[in-house]
Amino acid sequence: MSTPLAILMETGVPLLIVGGTAVQIYGISRFTKDFDCVVASDRESELAEAMCKAGFDEFVRNTLVVRYRHSVHTDWIVDTLLVHAETFGKMWAERREILLGALSLTVAAPLHIASMKMHAMKQNPSRELFDLLDVVELLQRDRANWTLEQVRAACERYGPVGIFDTLRPHLE
């Protein structure tokens, strides 16, 4: 039987695993109840068709997110985050291909995941403690692939006010 991750990878639609699942793939133990991916908004209809064929039903849609629930395995929830093709292209260029057992996964780079988590903190301050731990762990584990200036720029663009000052001591 396929898993949600296998189903996503089998769609043939370029997408990136993000969120709590990506954090786990990068070796950080944490709880997550859904599977998050990013797809270019101009490719979303292809993904929607593939998800439908795989037994998923759409149950939430807005301009930023489409949520799917499996019709049999109702605890399988996939959140699809829609981004402009240009943004997706930048993320895709820095993707990581990670082998998980026999499954080859396309995962967003840790700095991109951290940026998304900072954006989530900015939108919902109650997430700050939870997501801050993920951001620090992701960046510490991927230290060779970013500069402090890149982190500062991501913090200023996506994060809540003062987040760089909070992160900096953990990253130097």
Side-chain angles (χ1 to χ4, degrees):
M1 169 184 291
S2 287
T3 65
L5 285 176
I7 290 167
L8 285 169
M9 293 298 104
E10 292 165 1
T11 66
V13 178
L15 57 84
L16 297 163
I17 303 299
V18 295
T21 303
V23 170
Q24 288 178 334
I25 291 167
Y26 282 121
I28 301 165
S29 179
R30 54 106 75 213
F31 172 77
T32 188
K33 60 185 180 214
D34 57 15
F35 300 86
D36 299 317
C37 67
V38 170
V39 68
S41 54
D42 62 351
R43 303 293 299 267
E44 191 279 323
S45 62
E46 295 171 59
L47 184 61
E49 184 178 330
M51 295 300 283
C52 182
K53 286 181 183 176
F56 284 84
D57 299 311
E58 181 183 306
F59 71 99
V60 171
R61 175 181 286 274
N62 61 46
T63 57
L64 301 175
V65 176
V66 181
R67 300 191 80 195
Y68 299 96
R69 178 180 286 120
H70 196 272
S71 57
V72 175
H73 306 285
T74 56
D75 57 332
W76 288 3
I77 295 176
V78 174
D79 290 340
T80 303
L81 308 163
L82 308 175
V83 298
H84 294 290
E86 182 180 341
T87 300
F88 184 81
K90 290 175 185 176
M91 293 177 75
W92 184 260
E94 296 182 31
R95 72 189 179 279
R96 307 286 171 83
E97 301 288 338
I98 297 177
L99 198 58
L100 187 65
L103 187 59
S104 180
L105 301 172
T106 321
V107 185
L111 183 56
H112 292 160
I113 296 166
S115 296
M116 293 175 78
K117 288 190 162 288
M118 287 188 281
H119 180 72
M121 286 185 260
K122 185 176 184 177
Q123 301 305 311
N124 182 357
S126 69
R127 294 181 55 116
E128 190 164 330
L129 180 59
F130 181 73
D131 283 335
L132 188 60
L133 296 172
D134 286 346
V135 169
V136 169
E137 280 285 320
L138 281 166
L139 294 176
Q140 285 177 342
R141 289 170 182 245
D142 196 50
R143 183 60 184 103
N145 294 301
W146 53 263
T147 66
L148 207 52
E149 198 48 48
Q150 287 174 307
V151 173
R152 178 193 308 273
C155 288
E156 289 173 359
R157 182 166 185 185
Y158 303 109
V161 173
I163 193 70
F164 181 72
D165 293 331
T166 302
L167 289 173
R168 187 178 190 156
H170 302 284
L171 303 178
E172 291 184 308

